[in-house]
Amino acid sequence: MATWTRTLTRPDGQSFRFDPGSFAMELLVSGGPGELGVFEQLHAPHDLAAWLADSRLAATAPFTAADVRVTEAELDAVKRLRDAFWRVARAMARGADLPAADLDVLNAATAETPRPVVDPRTRTLTWAKPITGGQVLGAAARDAVELVAGGGVRECSGSNCQLLFVDASRSGNRRWCSMERCGNRHKVRAHRARHETRTGEAQ
Ligand SMILES: [Zn+2]
């Protein structure tokens, strides 16, 4: 799929663009288990519809939140999957054992996905409407199980940053959620440390 970035705003007020690298990784940005609950964006079914219309799924073929149908039960299932994948992805990034119960949640959810259809007149790709909450669940779960099998999940090297992403860089050495945020902070700190060392030597 095409590169797709989301604009995140952190509690300190800074906004920056972040490319999590895949659909399931993107879902992780919408909230998460435990202390990640402060980032929760999916409070009601229409929140998931709005989130989806701004996701990389819309990079394949555009649609609006009105094209999405989500029930309360589907929203709960998507959040359960997201939280399970948070624990799995973090364990992957840290080289820990993967929680078996959470893998069961991913494996049980891969049934449905949004259905691509081609417009006979324009020959452009669209999604069969409505896109359902069950299809969102399936798309995220399929992507998640592929990532578990394929690897490449990384945690940002920034201090106090828990963001996870798939490293799709050619060099395979992406370290930061975003150069705008953690990459720059690191550069500033490294520069200051060098400067302080030099100042120290001169005295
Ligand atoms: Zn970061």
Side-chain angles (χ1 to χ4, degrees), residues 99-143:
D102 290 324
L103 285 177
D104 288 345
V105 172
L106 304 187
N107 281 332
T110 55
E112 293 176 73
T113 54
R115 221 159 48 76
V117 289
V118 69
D119 185 304
R121 197 170 41 81
T122 62
R123 295 196 206 170
T124 53
L125 203 59
T126 61
W127 299 111
K129 314 274 169 47
I131 299 170
T132 68
Q135 290 173 338
V136 178
L137 179 74
R142 285 187 190 204
D143 185 37

mmCIF file of all heavy atoms in Angstrom, residues 99-143:
data_model
loop_
_atom_site.group_PDB
_atom_site.id
_atom_site.type_symbol
_atom_site.label_atom_id
_atom_site.label_comp_id
_atom_site.label_asym_id
_atom_site.label_seq_id
_atom_site.Cartn_x
_atom_site.Cartn_y
_atom_site.Cartn_z
ATOM 1 N N PRO A 99 2.604 -13.195 23.700
ATOM 2 C CA PRO A 99 1.501 -13.683 24.542
ATOM 3 C C PRO A 99 0.518 -14.533 23.728
ATOM 4 O O PRO A 99 -0.087 -14.043 22.767
ATOM 5 C CB PRO A 99 0.845 -12.401 25.049
ATOM 6 C CG PRO A 99 1.333 -11.304 24.168
ATOM 7 C CD PRO A 99 2.617 -11.729 23.557
ATOM 8 N N ALA A 100 0.377 -15.806 24.119
ATOM 9 C CA ALA A 100 -0.395 -16.780 23.328
ATOM 10 C C ALA A 100 -1.872 -16.393 23.239
ATOM 11 O O ALA A 100 -2.492 -16.523 22.174
ATOM 12 C CB ALA A 100 -0.247 -18.174 23.934
ATOM 13 N N ALA A 101 -2.446 -15.907 24.345
ATOM 14 C CA ALA A 101 -3.869 -15.564 24.340
ATOM 15 C C ALA A 101 -4.139 -14.425 23.359
ATOM 16 O O ALA A 101 -5.178 -14.381 22.694
ATOM 17 C CB ALA A 101 -4.319 -15.175 25.746
ATOM 18 N N ASP A 102 -3.202 -13.493 23.265
ATOM 19 C CA ASP A 102 -3.361 -12.365 22.336
ATOM 20 C C ASP A 102 -3.219 -12.831 20.888
ATOM 21 O O ASP A 102 -3.918 -12.331 20.004
ATOM 22 C CB ASP A 102 -2.349 -11.272 22.653
ATOM 23 C CG ASP A 102 -2.652 -10.569 23.972
ATOM 24 O OD1 ASP A 102 -3.855 -10.391 24.270
ATOM 25 O OD2 ASP A 102 -1.719 -10.211 24.692
ATOM 26 N N LEU A 103 -2.322 -13.778 20.642
ATOM 27 C CA LEU A 103 -2.209 -14.332 19.285
ATOM 28 C C LEU A 103 -3.506 -15.032 18.888
ATOM 29 O O LEU A 103 -3.924 -14.969 17.727
ATOM 30 C CB LEU A 103 -1.038 -15.322 19.195
ATOM 31 C CG LEU A 103 0.362 -14.702 19.168
ATOM 32 C CD1 LEU A 103 1.424 -15.788 19.150
ATOM 33 C CD2 LEU A 103 0.537 -13.781 17.963
ATOM 34 N N ASP A 104 -4.153 -15.684 19.858
ATOM 35 C CA ASP A 104 -5.454 -16.330 19.585
ATOM 36 C C ASP A 104 -6.474 -15.293 19.117
ATOM 37 O O ASP A 104 -7.263 -15.547 18.208
ATOM 38 C CB ASP A 104 -5.998 -17.026 20.842
ATOM 39 C CG ASP A 104 -5.218 -18.296 21.178
ATOM 40 O OD1 ASP A 104 -4.476 -18.775 20.294
ATOM 41 O OD2 ASP A 104 -5.356 -18.781 22.315
ATOM 42 N N VAL A 105 -6.458 -14.120 19.758
ATOM 43 C CA VAL A 105 -7.394 -13.042 19.374
ATOM 44 C C VAL A 105 -7.147 -12.635 17.921
ATOM 45 O O VAL A 105 -8.087 -12.467 17.141
ATOM 46 C CB VAL A 105 -7.250 -11.828 20.322
ATOM 47 C CG1 VAL A 105 -8.071 -10.638 19.830
ATOM 48 C CG2 VAL A 105 -7.677 -12.211 21.743
ATOM 49 N N LEU A 106 -5.880 -12.495 17.538
ATOM 50 C CA LEU A 106 -5.554 -12.113 16.154
ATOM 51 C C LEU A 106 -6.012 -13.197 15.189
ATOM 52 O O LEU A 106 -6.656 -12.924 14.170
ATOM 53 C CB LEU A 106 -4.048 -11.891 15.979
ATOM 54 C CG LEU A 106 -3.341 -10.887 16.886
ATOM 55 C CD1 LEU A 106 -1.891 -10.689 16.422
ATOM 56 C CD2 LEU A 106 -4.054 -9.562 16.910
ATOM 57 N N ASN A 107 -5.674 -14.449 15.511
ATOM 58 C CA ASN A 107 -5.986 -15.553 14.597
ATOM 59 C C ASN A 107 -7.486 -15.757 14.404
ATOM 60 O O ASN A 107 -7.921 -16.201 13.348
ATOM 61 C CB ASN A 107 -5.370 -16.859 15.125
ATOM 62 C CG ASN A 107 -3.888 -16.935 14.805
ATOM 63 O OD1 ASN A 107 -3.428 -16.366 13.819
ATOM 64 N ND2 ASN A 107 -3.139 -17.644 15.642
ATOM 65 N N ALA A 108 -8.267 -15.424 15.446
ATOM 66 C CA ALA A 108 -9.713 -15.651 15.380
ATOM 67 C C ALA A 108 -10.439 -14.579 14.568
ATOM 68 O O ALA A 108 -11.626 -14.699 14.295
ATOM 69 C CB ALA A 108 -10.285 -15.705 16.797
ATOM 70 N N ALA A 109 -9.717 -13.510 14.165
ATOM 71 C CA ALA A 109 -10.405 -12.343 13.604
ATOM 72 C C ALA A 109 -10.122 -12.104 12.124
ATOM 73 O O ALA A 109 -10.468 -11.056 11.592
ATOM 74 C CB ALA A 109 -10.015 -11.097 14.414
ATOM 75 N N THR A 110 -9.521 -13.065 11.440
ATOM 76 C CA THR A 110 -9.059 -12.796 10.071
ATOM 77 C C THR A 110 -10.103 -13.077 8.985
ATOM 78 O O THR A 110 -9.794 -13.056 7.796
ATOM 79 C CB THR A 110 -7.806 -13.644 9.747
ATOM 80 O OG1 THR A 110 -8.106 -15.019 9.988
ATOM 81 C CG2 THR A 110 -6.617 -13.225 10.568
ATOM 82 N N ALA A 111 -11.364 -13.321 9.381
ATOM 83 C CA ALA A 111 -12.363 -13.800 8.410
ATOM 84 C C ALA A 111 -12.681 -12.828 7.271
ATOM 85 O O ALA A 111 -12.539 -13.162 6.096
ATOM 86 C CB ALA A 111 -13.641 -14.181 9.147
ATOM 87 N N GLU A 112 -13.123 -11.611 7.625
ATOM 88 C CA GLU A 112 -13.636 -10.693 6.582
ATOM 89 C C GLU A 112 -12.650 -9.573 6.293
ATOM 90 O O GLU A 112 -11.924 -9.156 7.183
ATOM 91 C CB GLU A 112 -14.904 -9.996 7.087
ATOM 92 C CG GLU A 112 -16.100 -10.869 7.298
ATOM 93 C CD GLU A 112 -17.218 -10.011 7.887
ATOM 94 O OE1 GLU A 112 -17.796 -9.206 7.142
ATOM 95 O OE2 GLU A 112 -17.480 -10.142 9.089
ATOM 96 N N THR A 113 -12.684 -9.042 5.099
ATOM 97 C CA THR A 113 -11.965 -7.792 4.807
ATOM 98 C C THR A 113 -12.820 -6.939 3.878
ATOM 99 O O THR A 113 -13.739 -7.452 3.240
ATOM 100 C CB THR A 113 -10.609 -8.035 4.106
ATOM 101 O OG1 THR A 113 -10.838 -8.841 2.958
ATOM 102 C CG2 THR A 113 -9.603 -8.695 5.016
ATOM 103 N N PRO A 114 -12.501 -5.651 3.797
ATOM 104 C CA PRO A 114 -13.205 -4.811 2.831
ATOM 105 C C PRO A 114 -13.047 -5.408 1.436
ATOM 106 O O PRO A 114 -11.982 -5.944 1.095
ATOM 107 C CB PRO A 114 -12.480 -3.466 2.943
ATOM 108 C CG PRO A 114 -11.913 -3.461 4.320
ATOM 109 C CD PRO A 114 -11.530 -4.883 4.601
ATOM 110 N N ARG A 115 -14.106 -5.322 0.638
ATOM 111 C CA ARG A 115 -14.139 -5.981 -0.662
ATOM 112 C C ARG A 115 -13.795 -4.978 -1.761
ATOM 113 O O ARG A 115 -14.549 -4.037 -2.006
ATOM 114 C CB ARG A 115 -15.545 -6.537 -0.881
ATOM 115 C CG ARG A 115 -15.607 -7.915 -1.498
ATOM 116 C CD ARG A 115 -16.939 -8.576 -1.216
ATOM 117 N NE ARG A 115 -18.093 -7.723 -1.481
ATOM 118 C CZ ARG A 115 -18.566 -7.442 -2.695
ATOM 119 N NH1 ARG A 115 -17.990 -7.919 -3.766
ATOM 120 N NH2 ARG A 115 -19.639 -6.680 -2.841
ATOM 121 N N PRO A 116 -12.629 -5.140 -2.440
ATOM 122 C CA PRO A 116 -12.297 -4.225 -3.530
ATOM 123 C C PRO A 116 -13.132 -4.537 -4.760
ATOM 124 O O PRO A 116 -13.343 -5.703 -5.100
ATOM 125 C CB PRO A 116 -10.818 -4.498 -3.790
ATOM 126 C CG PRO A 116 -10.564 -5.862 -3.265
ATOM 127 C CD PRO A 116 -11.600 -6.160 -2.225
ATOM 128 N N VAL A 117 -13.643 -3.503 -5.390
ATOM 129 C CA VAL A 117 -14.381 -3.664 -6.656
ATOM 130 C C VAL A 117 -13.912 -2.581 -7.620
ATOM 131 O O VAL A 117 -13.532 -1.484 -7.200
ATOM 132 C CB VAL A 117 -15.919 -3.550 -6.465
ATOM 133 C CG1 VAL A 117 -16.480 -4.764 -5.744
ATOM 134 C CG2 VAL A 117 -16.291 -2.277 -5.732
ATOM 135 N N VAL A 118 -13.920 -2.912 -8.911
ATOM 136 C CA VAL A 118 -13.491 -1.933 -9.895
ATOM 137 C C VAL A 118 -14.727 -1.267 -10.505
ATOM 138 O O VAL A 118 -15.730 -1.928 -10.782
ATOM 139 C CB VAL A 118 -12.587 -2.583 -10.972
ATOM 140 C CG1 VAL A 118 -13.366 -3.540 -11.853
ATOM 141 C CG2 VAL A 118 -11.899 -1.507 -11.807
ATOM 142 N N ASP A 119 -14.663 0.058 -10.651
ATOM 143 C CA ASP A 119 -15.748 0.797 -11.283
ATOM 144 C C ASP A 119 -15.714 0.497 -12.779
ATOM 145 O O ASP A 119 -14.699 0.737 -13.431
ATOM 146 C CB ASP A 119 -15.552 2.300 -11.018
ATOM 147 C CG ASP A 119 -16.718 3.127 -11.543
ATOM 148 O OD1 ASP A 119 -17.015 3.009 -12.756
ATOM 149 O OD2 ASP A 119 -17.321 3.878 -10.762
ATOM 150 N N PRO A 120 -16.814 -0.044 -13.334
ATOM 151 C CA PRO A 120 -16.774 -0.459 -14.742
ATOM 152 C C PRO A 120 -16.554 0.702 -15.704
ATOM 153 O O PRO A 120 -16.040 0.510 -16.802
ATOM 154 C CB PRO A 120 -18.146 -1.102 -14.970
ATOM 155 C CG PRO A 120 -18.958 -0.838 -13.779
ATOM 156 C CD PRO A 120 -18.085 -0.296 -12.692
ATOM 157 N N ARG A 121 -16.940 1.904 -15.297
ATOM 158 C CA ARG A 121 -16.842 3.054 -16.186
ATOM 159 C C ARG A 121 -15.434 3.682 -16.123
ATOM 160 O O ARG A 121 -14.793 3.871 -17.141
ATOM 161 C CB ARG A 121 -17.906 4.084 -15.778
ATOM 162 C CG ARG A 121 -18.209 5.142 -16.803
ATOM 163 C CD ARG A 121 -19.451 5.939 -16.365
ATOM 164 N NE ARG A 121 -19.456 6.218 -14.929
ATOM 165 C CZ ARG A 121 -18.785 7.204 -14.358
ATOM 166 N NH1 ARG A 121 -18.064 8.027 -15.086
ATOM 167 N NH2 ARG A 121 -18.848 7.383 -13.052
ATOM 168 N N THR A 122 -14.969 3.949 -14.910
ATOM 169 C CA THR A 122 -13.680 4.643 -14.774
ATOM 170 C C THR A 122 -12.516 3.662 -14.602
ATOM 171 O O THR A 122 -11.360 4.052 -14.694
ATOM 172 C CB THR A 122 -13.700 5.566 -13.542
ATOM 173 O OG1 THR A 122 -13.903 4.749 -12.382
ATOM 174 C CG2 THR A 122 -14.836 6.576 -13.634
ATOM 175 N N ARG A 123 -12.847 2.396 -14.328
ATOM 176 C CA ARG A 123 -11.851 1.358 -14.059
ATOM 177 C C ARG A 123 -10.966 1.688 -12.863
ATOM 178 O O ARG A 123 -9.858 1.198 -12.748
ATOM 179 C CB ARG A 123 -10.941 1.117 -15.276
ATOM 180 C CG ARG A 123 -11.679 0.563 -16.466
ATOM 181 C CD ARG A 123 -10.701 -0.006 -17.450
ATOM 182 N NE ARG A 123 -11.218 0.010 -18.791
ATOM 183 C CZ ARG A 123 -10.501 -0.251 -19.878
ATOM 184 N NH1 ARG A 123 -9.218 -0.528 -19.772
ATOM 185 N NH2 ARG A 123 -11.056 -0.235 -21.063
ATOM 186 N N THR A 124 -11.467 2.559 -11.975
ATOM 187 C CA THR A 124 -10.711 2.821 -10.751
ATOM 188 C C THR A 124 -11.182 1.859 -9.670
ATOM 189 O O THR A 124 -12.309 1.357 -9.708
ATOM 190 C CB THR A 124 -10.911 4.270 -10.264
ATOM 191 O OG1 THR A 124 -12.311 4.512 -10.161
ATOM 192 C CG2 THR A 124 -10.276 5.263 -11.212
ATOM 193 N N LEU A 125 -10.300 1.637 -8.707
ATOM 194 C CA LEU A 125 -10.597 0.709 -7.626
ATOM 195 C C LEU A 125 -11.411 1.418 -6.550
ATOM 196 O O LEU A 125 -11.118 2.551 -6.174
ATOM 197 C CB LEU A 125 -9.279 0.212 -7.042
ATOM 198 C CG LEU A 125 -9.295 -1.125 -6.311
ATOM 199 C CD1 LEU A 125 -9.776 -2.242 -7.235
ATOM 200 C CD2 LEU A 125 -7.903 -1.436 -5.787
ATOM 201 N N THR A 126 -12.449 0.770 -6.088
ATOM 202 C CA THR A 126 -13.225 1.303 -4.969
ATOM 203 C C THR A 126 -13.462 0.162 -3.977
ATOM 204 O O THR A 126 -13.102 -0.980 -4.241
ATOM 205 C CB THR A 126 -14.595 1.847 -5.423
ATOM 206 O OG1 THR A 126 -15.331 0.758 -6.000
ATOM 207 C CG2 THR A 126 -14.449 2.948 -6.442
ATOM 208 N N TRP A 127 -14.056 0.500 -2.835
ATOM 209 C CA TRP A 127 -14.457 -0.519 -1.875
ATOM 210 C C TRP A 127 -15.962 -0.704 -1.971
ATOM 211 O O TRP A 127 -16.699 0.278 -2.087
ATOM 212 C CB TRP A 127 -14.084 -0.109 -0.452
ATOM 213 C CG TRP A 127 -12.622 0.094 -0.244
ATOM 214 C CD1 TRP A 127 -11.988 1.288 -0.019
ATOM 215 C CD2 TRP A 127 -11.607 -0.903 -0.237
ATOM 216 N NE1 TRP A 127 -10.639 1.088 0.112
ATOM 217 C CE2 TRP A 127 -10.368 -0.250 -0.010
ATOM 218 C CE3 TRP A 127 -11.597 -2.293 -0.403
ATOM 219 C CZ2 TRP A 127 -9.157 -0.924 0.050
ATOM 220 C CZ3 TRP A 127 -10.388 -2.964 -0.344
ATOM 221 C CH2 TRP A 127 -9.191 -2.291 -0.121
ATOM 222 N N ALA A 128 -16.435 -1.951 -1.916
ATOM 223 C CA ALA A 128 -17.869 -2.196 -1.872
ATOM 224 C C ALA A 128 -18.429 -1.531 -0.614
ATOM 225 O O ALA A 128 -17.875 -1.686 0.472
ATOM 226 C CB ALA A 128 -18.130 -3.703 -1.852
ATOM 227 N N LYS A 129 -19.516 -0.768 -0.762
ATOM 228 C CA LYS A 129 -20.094 -0.028 0.366
ATOM 229 C C LYS A 129 -21.323 -0.756 0.899
ATOM 230 O O LYS A 129 -22.057 -1.334 0.103
ATOM 231 C CB LYS A 129 -20.484 1.384 -0.094
ATOM 232 C CG LYS A 129 -19.416 2.103 -0.915
ATOM 233 C CD LYS A 129 -18.424 2.828 -0.042
ATOM 234 C CE LYS A 129 -17.194 3.337 -0.808
ATOM 235 N NZ LYS A 129 -17.374 4.046 -2.050
ATOM 236 N N PRO A 130 -21.606 -0.698 2.184
ATOM 237 C CA PRO A 130 -20.743 -0.048 3.161
ATOM 238 C C PRO A 130 -19.558 -0.932 3.562
ATOM 239 O O PRO A 130 -19.638 -2.159 3.459
ATOM 240 C CB PRO A 130 -21.678 0.140 4.364
ATOM 241 C CG PRO A 130 -22.599 -1.046 4.285
ATOM 242 C CD PRO A 130 -22.804 -1.289 2.812
ATOM 243 N N ILE A 131 -18.494 -0.286 4.024
ATOM 244 C CA ILE A 131 -17.405 -1.006 4.678
ATOM 245 C C ILE A 131 -17.870 -1.244 6.110
ATOM 246 O O ILE A 131 -18.307 -0.310 6.780
ATOM 247 C CB ILE A 131 -16.114 -0.162 4.657
ATOM 248 C CG1 ILE A 131 -15.699 0.126 3.208
ATOM 249 C CG2 ILE A 131 -15.001 -0.880 5.402
ATOM 250 C CD1 ILE A 131 -14.576 1.153 3.083
ATOM 251 N N THR A 132 -17.830 -2.485 6.575
ATOM 252 C CA THR A 132 -18.374 -2.787 7.905
ATOM 253 C C THR A 132 -17.269 -2.852 8.969
ATOM 254 O O THR A 132 -16.094 -3.049 8.641
ATOM 255 C CB THR A 132 -19.100 -4.141 7.907
ATOM 256 O OG1 THR A 132 -18.124 -5.177 7.716
ATOM 257 C CG2 THR A 132 -20.150 -4.214 6.800
ATOM 258 N N GLY A 133 -17.691 -2.734 10.225
ATOM 259 C CA GLY A 133 -16.757 -2.875 11.338
ATOM 260 C C GLY A 133 -16.094 -4.245 11.327
ATOM 261 O O GLY A 133 -14.918 -4.379 11.666
ATOM 262 N N GLY A 134 -16.851 -5.269 10.914
ATOM 263 C CA GLY A 134 -16.298 -6.621 10.825
ATOM 264 C C GLY A 134 -15.183 -6.701 9.789
ATOM 265 O O GLY A 134 -14.184 -7.407 9.980
ATOM 266 N N GLN A 135 -15.332 -5.961 8.708
ATOM 267 C CA GLN A 135 -14.301 -5.947 7.671
ATOM 268 C C GLN A 135 -13.050 -5.197 8.138
ATOM 269 O O GLN A 135 -11.929 -5.584 7.813
ATOM 270 C CB GLN A 135 -14.854 -5.307 6.394
ATOM 271 C CG GLN A 135 -15.900 -6.181 5.703
ATOM 272 C CD GLN A 135 -16.566 -5.469 4.532
ATOM 273 O OE1 GLN A 135 -16.566 -4.239 4.460
ATOM 274 N NE2 GLN A 135 -17.136 -6.239 3.625
ATOM 275 N N VAL A 136 -13.260 -4.133 8.918
ATOM 276 C CA VAL A 136 -12.117 -3.398 9.482
ATOM 277 C C VAL A 136 -11.332 -4.323 10.406
ATOM 278 O O VAL A 136 -10.103 -4.405 10.362
ATOM 279 C CB VAL A 136 -12.600 -2.159 10.272
ATOM 280 C CG1 VAL A 136 -11.424 -1.425 10.889
ATOM 281 C CG2 VAL A 136 -13.409 -1.236 9.379
ATOM 282 N N LEU A 137 -12.083 -5.061 11.229
ATOM 283 C CA LEU A 137 -11.466 -6.021 12.147
ATOM 284 C C LEU A 137 -10.623 -7.028 11.376
ATOM 285 O O LEU A 137 -9.464 -7.299 11.715
ATOM 286 C CB LEU A 137 -12.576 -6.755 12.923
ATOM 287 C CG LEU A 137 -12.113 -7.807 13.921
ATOM 288 C CD1 LEU A 137 -11.520 -7.135 15.159
ATOM 289 C CD2 LEU A 137 -13.265 -8.737 14.320
ATOM 290 N N GLY A 138 -11.210 -7.587 10.323
ATOM 291 C CA GLY A 138 -10.508 -8.609 9.538
ATOM 292 C C GLY A 138 -9.270 -8.059 8.845
ATOM 293 O O GLY A 138 -8.224 -8.716 8.811
ATOM 294 N N ALA A 139 -9.374 -6.841 8.304
ATOM 295 C CA ALA A 139 -8.227 -6.239 7.610
ATOM 296 C C ALA A 139 -7.070 -6.028 8.583
ATOM 297 O O ALA A 139 -5.911 -6.310 8.262
ATOM 298 C CB ALA A 139 -8.643 -4.910 6.973
ATOM 299 N N ALA A 140 -7.390 -5.536 9.791
ATOM 300 C CA ALA A 140 -6.342 -5.304 10.790
ATOM 301 C C ALA A 140 -5.737 -6.635 11.248
ATOM 302 O O ALA A 140 -4.524 -6.760 11.395
ATOM 303 C CB ALA A 140 -6.908 -4.529 11.976
ATOM 304 N N ALA A 141 -6.599 -7.644 11.460
ATOM 305 C CA ALA A 141 -6.114 -8.940 11.933
ATOM 306 C C ALA A 141 -5.232 -9.622 10.891
ATOM 307 O O ALA A 141 -4.189 -10.189 11.215
ATOM 308 C CB ALA A 141 -7.295 -9.840 12.302
ATOM 309 N N ARG A 142 -5.632 -9.556 9.612
ATOM 310 C CA ARG A 142 -4.816 -10.172 8.553
ATOM 311 C C ARG A 142 -3.452 -9.514 8.467
ATOM 312 O O ARG A 142 -2.423 -10.166 8.332
ATOM 313 C CB ARG A 142 -5.518 -10.054 7.202
ATOM 314 C CG ARG A 142 -6.673 -11.016 7.073
ATOM 315 C CD ARG A 142 -7.220 -10.991 5.669
ATOM 316 N NE ARG A 142 -8.472 -11.725 5.616
ATOM 317 C CZ ARG A 142 -8.959 -12.278 4.513
ATOM 318 N NH1 ARG A 142 -8.310 -12.165 3.381
ATOM 319 N NH2 ARG A 142 -10.106 -12.930 4.540
ATOM 320 N N ASP A 143 -3.446 -8.190 8.537
ATOM 321 C CA ASP A 143 -2.173 -7.473 8.488
ATOM 322 C C ASP A 143 -1.329 -7.844 9.708
ATOM 323 O O ASP A 143 -0.125 -8.065 9.600
ATOM 324 C CB ASP A 143 -2.442 -5.963 8.428
ATOM 325 C CG ASP A 143 -1.177 -5.167 8.256
ATOM 326 O OD1 ASP A 143 -0.276 -5.634 7.525
ATOM 327 O OD2 ASP A 143 -1.069 -4.086 8.843
#
